[in-house]
Amino acid sequence: MRKLIRLGIPTKLGGRWAENTVASILTNEKVVGDLCLQKGFIADHLTKQKRVNRGELPKYYVEGAHEAVIDRATFDAVQAEVVRRACKCKPTSKEPRCEFSGIIRCGRYGANFTRKINGIGTQYAKANWACATYTTHGKEHCAAKRIPEDILRQKFAEALGSNAYDADDFIARVAAITIPEDGVLVFTFKDGTQKTILWEKHSRRDSWTDEMKSKAKDAAKRRLGNG
């Protein structure tokens, strides 16, 4: 999607590419020559109101209804990849809403920051917050740096002059966090006051545990032994 936007390639109707547009193309059975009939239906024949068929009526799948755009093996491989990525990005159990959701706003273009998990499903999983404009459209449209969640907690405690972070205290006190530029957090409190706090991303070396360092050393020794 980002490459299409960067190259200036318009959509069918001349608009801007979006994630759901690309997703609908990748999962559309028509590109492989098939048809799924009755995906939608007229709910009210007087108002002509259309609804998506979510099981209210039967659907009919027709294979080889017309000439394919891509081969079936490629289409099946894409569907498998879509499922794999969906499972990777969405935890099996529903997580509680994070206290930072809907609170952090980019000062450059006004988009909210959204939560991203690096290394999800591993012991090294780490939560970061990134501008939605950057996430959706790429660095060319917003170069705001990601903010590690642990730094957000640490800086809120610092804003209050406390040594410990308390999520309930954050929810009770903070109305918004604005990111006017990299390295700057502006806390707007519910009593109308503001506090500006500077932050700096920790060195990757500082975030390594003793176990991680030990594994890295062992891996380096194996590489030297094989070389």
Side-chain angles (χ1 to χ4, degrees), residues 1-3 5-6 16 106 108-109 130-146 182:
M1 181 191 73
R2 294 178 183 177
K3 187 174 182 179
I5 294 173
R6 187 169 64 251
R16 184 186 181 88
C106 181
R108 289 174 169 88
Y109 301 103
C131 175
T133 301
Y134 172 86
T135 302
T136 304
H137 302 296
K139 188 176 181 179
E140 298 84 357
H141 296 270
C142 184
K145 289 183 179 179
R146 292 187 177 191
D182 291 336

Side-chain angles (χ1 to χ4, degrees), residues 214-227:
S214 177
K215 287 184 177 180
K217 289 180 181 178
D218 290 342
K221 288 179 181 178
R222 288 194 296 271
R223 286 196 298 271
L224 291 174
N226 292 335

Side-chain angles (χ1 to χ4, degrees), residues 123-188:
Q123 61 178 319
Y124 307 117
K126 188 176 180 65
N128 291 273
W129 289 80
C131 175
T133 301
Y134 172 86
T135 302
T136 304
H137 302 296
K139 188 176 181 179
E140 298 84 357
H141 296 270
C142 184
K145 289 183 179 179
R146 292 187 177 191
I147 305 176
E149 193 170 280
D150 58 347
I151 286 183
L152 285 172
R153 294 193 173 104
Q154 174 191 331
K155 293 304 175 180
F156 169 68
E158 182 180 322
L160 296 184
S162 173
N163 293 324
Y165 172 78
D166 186 290
D168 291 334
D169 196 22
F170 178 89
I171 294 170
R173 289 174 176 254
V174 177
I177 301 174
T178 306
I179 315 293
E181 58 182 292
D182 291 336
V184 180
L185 299 172
V186 179
F187 289 90
T188 300

Side-chain angles (χ1 to χ4, degrees), residues 59-101:
K59 294 181 182 179
Y60 303 94
Y61 197 90
V62 182
E63 293 187 0
H66 55 268
E67 185 177 354
V69 177
I70 63 174
D71 62 89
R72 191 168 297 277
T74 300
F75 181 76
D76 290 343
V78 170
Q79 306 320 300
E81 179 64 13
V82 168
V83 172
R84 186 191 71 82
R85 294 192 182 193
C87 292
K88 182 179 179 181
C89 295
K90 297 179 181 178
T92 53
S93 59
K94 188 174 182 180
E95 294 183 352
R97 179 179 172 85
C98 180
E99 67 269 24
F100 298 117
S101 297

